[in-house]
Amino acid sequence: MKNDSASSRRKFLQQIGATSLVAASSPFASLAAQQKAEERILTYDRKITANDKVRIGVIGFGVQGHYDLNSALKVPGVELAGICDLYPGRLENAKELYGNDLFVTRDYRELLNKSDIDAVLICTTDVWHAKMTLDALAKGKHVYCEKPMIYKISEGAPVVAAAKKSGKVVQIGSQRVSSIGLAKAKELLAAGEIGKLNMVNSVNDRQSSIGAWEYTIPKDASPETLDWDRFIAITGKKIPYDPKKFFWWRAFKEVGTGVAGDLFIHLLSGTHFMTNSKGPEAIMSTGQFSYWKDGRDLPDVMSGVMQYPDTPEHPAFQLTLQVNFISGTGGQELTRLIGSEGIIDVRGNTITVKHSIMPEAPGFGGYDSLFTFSKAMREEMQKDYDAKWTPEQRKKKVKEDIVYNPPAGYNEHVDHFTNFFDSIRTGKVVVEDAVFGFRAAAPALACNESLLTKKIINWDPVNMKLKA
């Protein structure tokens, strides 16, 4: 059968004819002849100094707590003063990493009561974020809170008000806002490099069990070792013990916010930073349980569409959001800014600019109704067109494509913490304050609301309120 198939294919190719083959190959030949886009390295010469010592406590020493602390301690002058977690195994791990003399506790209020702690990193389950932020501010601590800043939209205004009243620094943990790559994209967009913005497509796909939040659960997990009653106390409900809800909490709506609170919010934060946007006015979302049928009640494939109004900061544009936890791509992360004259692709801190600029003259001929007219009409109209538009005006304008890469070793996460500690030390405006955090969190959480109610959610991005 294989020989017969190969023979049939040869005959088919022979029947196409040499002329057709040459014609078919032309586009590929022209693509191969195109010059490679110019590559540039983004300038980065920031010097980090320790003007004053800042002592920190960590609340929640899971995956993100480890990553956050590791980045924070790379900033000179930052010292660790204590760690809180409900699972004793993580407190033991903390002492293994940072010494037996480290203060550890299962009650975050003990950290807040320590006079030698200047700031806390809140890296807990989403449902605790607002409560812990309010408690920390009341105790006079600066706060770095992981995204989303809140678990429910109704929690946003109280956190914003408390942050303003306290006079303390509150920074939300979406590190893209400190990225030199996104700063370059923001600059290029503002300069009109791709014309007028009209759409943003943002994707964060994964294809692994860990990427889908199925984290390893320790063998000694129990209601006692996980301090289950304390863990669920914030919900006001008697939730039956389930170790998945403790270690895979993102996947359960009783304590987490799913795809929307984990990944949509990163995409929203980056988009808002690059466009100077306050947020969308209409939000809709849909999702499905496609593969990870492990008891979770928040979907593993989810999409959102948001409409941004015309404002002094940016023209009206549409944002599409996509997360797929069983993506045959193997996983991808891309935000594409689409304008009238090109695109800016953001992949991590690598920025690619490509242009597609329409000619000044309108289209005429080809796949057009012109050929359906009489010969006399075609000739008359061709003469008129040739008289009005020069050959130069009929050509598409060509503009160089450019790739911007970050310098070797650049780390936006460390940059984000550097900005946080700089604000504590100098009083300068923080890069991602509670207002920015709320304006990113509310549309993300509204996607869950839209998913569950099957309705469009209307949002006032200026006054930060839901609209009827």
Side-chain angles (χ1 to χ4, degrees):
M1 286 295 292
K2 288 184 178 179
N3 289 338
D4 291 345
S5 181
S7 175
S8 298
R9 177 169 171 76
R10 279 195 299 271
K11 288 179 181 178
F12 171 72
L13 291 174
Q14 289 168 359
Q15 289 167 359
I16 290 177
T19 303
S20 297
L21 285 172
V22 171
S25 69
S26 296
F28 300 101
S30 63
L31 283 173
Q34 288 181 0
Q35 291 185 350
K36 189 177 181 181
E38 181 183 344
E39 294 189 20
R40 304 179 186 178
I41 302 298
L42 293 167
T43 302
Y44 185 75
D45 56 1
R46 179 173 188 164
K47 293 178 178 61
I48 306 174
T49 59
N51 296 327
D52 297 292
K53 180 170 66 177
V54 179
R55 288 175 60 79
I56 61 173
V58 179
I59 305 175
F61 200 48
V63 176
Q64 197 59 44
H66 276 72
Y67 278 109
D68 281 355
L69 179 57
N70 182 55
S71 293
L73 292 178
K74 289 179 180 177
V75 182
V78 176
E79 295 181 359
L80 176 62
I83 289 179
C84 170
D85 199 278
L86 293 180
Y87 172 52
R90 286 178 172 161
L91 299 181
E92 183 179 348
N93 171 249
K95 290 200 168 192
E96 290 169 352
L97 291 171
Y98 300 106
N100 284 326
D101 294 333
L102 177 69
F103 177 81
V104 298
T105 178
R106 298 177 80 174
D107 186 343
Y108 75 93
R109 294 169 296 185
E110 291 187 1
L111 273 189
L112 299 183
N113 286 331
K114 283 178 65 66
S115 60
D116 64 338
I117 288 181
D118 304 301
V120 291
L121 315 186
I122 299 174
C123 314
T124 63
T125 313
D126 294 346
V127 71
W128 280 98
H129 284 184
K131 167 68 172 167
M132 289 179 173
T133 297
L134 293 173
D135 288 350
L137 292 173
K139 289 291 185 177
K141 310 300 184 186
H142 301 286
V143 174
Y144 181 101
C145 182
E146 267 302 327
K147 49 75 191 167
M149 182 182 84
I150 50 176
Y151 170 73
K152 297 183 291 187
I153 293 175
S154 60
E155 296 170 336
V159 171
V160 169
K164 184 177 180 180
K165 181 180 178 181
S166 71
K168 296 297 178 180
V169 175
V170 175
Q171 175 153 301
I172 309 308
S174 291
Q175 63 270 14
R176 294 173 182 225
V177 178
S178 290
S179 157
I180 60 169
L182 267 66
K184 187 63 182 180
K186 179 187 183 92
E187 173 193 318
L188 293 167
L189 181 65
E193 186 67 29
I194 59 169
K196 184 179 179 181
L197 181 71
N198 55 62
M199 179 173 277
V200 179
N201 303 142
S202 208
V203 176
N204 195 323
D205 289 344
R206 295 174 176 177
Q207 193 184 35
S208 71
S209 59
I210 292 175
W213 311 316
E214 286 192 348
Y215 301 126
T216 301
I217 297 174
K219 294 170 66 175
D220 64 348
S222 72
E224 292 72 36
T225 58
L226 302 185
D227 204 345
W228 181 255
D229 289 341
R230 191 193 300 267
F231 174 68
I232 63 170
I234 188 71
T235 68
K237 303 174 184 177
K238 285 289 185 182
I239 302 172
Y241 168 71
D242 183 347
K244 289 182 181 179
K245 290 180 180 176
F246 188 95
F247 290 98
W248 302 359
W249 53 266
R250 293 192 188 280
F252 297 93
K253 60 188 177 186
E254 292 160 309
V255 289
T257 55
V259 159
D262 184 27
L263 299 175
F264 275 12
I265 196 160
H266 269 315
L267 307 178
L268 281 158
S269 295
T271 299
H272 289 185
F273 172 73
M274 290 184 287
T275 62
N276 284 321
S277 181
K278 291 181 174 66
E281 59 183 4
I283 301 151
M284 60 200 85
S285 182
T286 186
Q288 66 190 42
F289 296 87
S290 185
Y291 184 84
W292 302 104
K293 299 176 182 179
D294 48 17
R296 68 182 62 205
D297 54 18
L298 289 168
D300 57 1
V301 174
M302 191 167 173
S303 298
V305 180
M306 302 185 184
Q307 185 62 51
Y308 284 70
D310 189 15
T311 71
E313 293 81 19
H314 57 72
F317 69 90
Q318 188 178 95
L319 170 66
T320 65
L321 302 170
Q322 173 189 310
V323 170
N324 182 349
F325 277 176
I326 187 62
S327 174
T329 64
Q332 59 177 333
E333 183 177 340
L334 167 68
T335 293
R336 172 169 288 171
L337 306 171
I338 303 172
S340 57
E341 297 182 357
I343 61 172
I344 299 174
D345 278 353
V346 181
R347 286 185 169 89
N349 286 292
T350 295
I351 310 300
T352 303
V353 184
K354 296 183 178 181
H355 301 93
S356 179
I357 305 173
M358 289 195 296
E360 183 181 353
F364 187 77
Y367 191 78
D368 182 17
S369 58
L370 179 69
F371 77 93
T372 67
F373 305 161
S374 67
K375 180 180 179 182
M377 180 59 72
R378 293 199 304 270
E379 290 176 349
E380 181 181 346
M381 295 188 73
Q382 183 71 60
K383 185 178 179 180
D384 292 344
Y385 185 83
D386 292 343
K388 184 173 182 179
W389 302 105
T390 67
E392 193 63 29
Q393 289 174 309
R394 302 175 208 174
K395 292 180 183 177
K396 289 189 72 170
K397 295 179 182 178
V398 177
K399 200 171 181 182
E400 180 183 60
D401 295 342
I402 305 171
V403 177
Y404 296 90
N405 281 308
Y410 174 72
N411 187 326
E412 65 187 31
H413 206 213
V414 174
D415 238 5
H416 204 48
F417 275 102
T418 301
N419 288 328
F420 174 56
F421 295 122
D422 278 353
S423 295
I424 292 174
R425 288 165 172 158
T426 68
K428 76 172 189 177
V429 177
V430 73
V431 296
E432 190 178 1
D433 63 8
V435 171
F436 187 105
F438 186 25
R439 283 181 166 145
L445 299 179
C447 283
N448 282 340
E449 183 68 16
S450 176
L451 172 75
L452 295 171
T453 63
K454 302 187 185 305
K455 294 179 180 179
I456 296 174
I457 307 300
N458 296 303
W459 173 248
D460 179 345
V462 176
N463 296 305
M464 297 179 288
K465 293 180 180 179
L466 290 167
K467 296 191 293 186

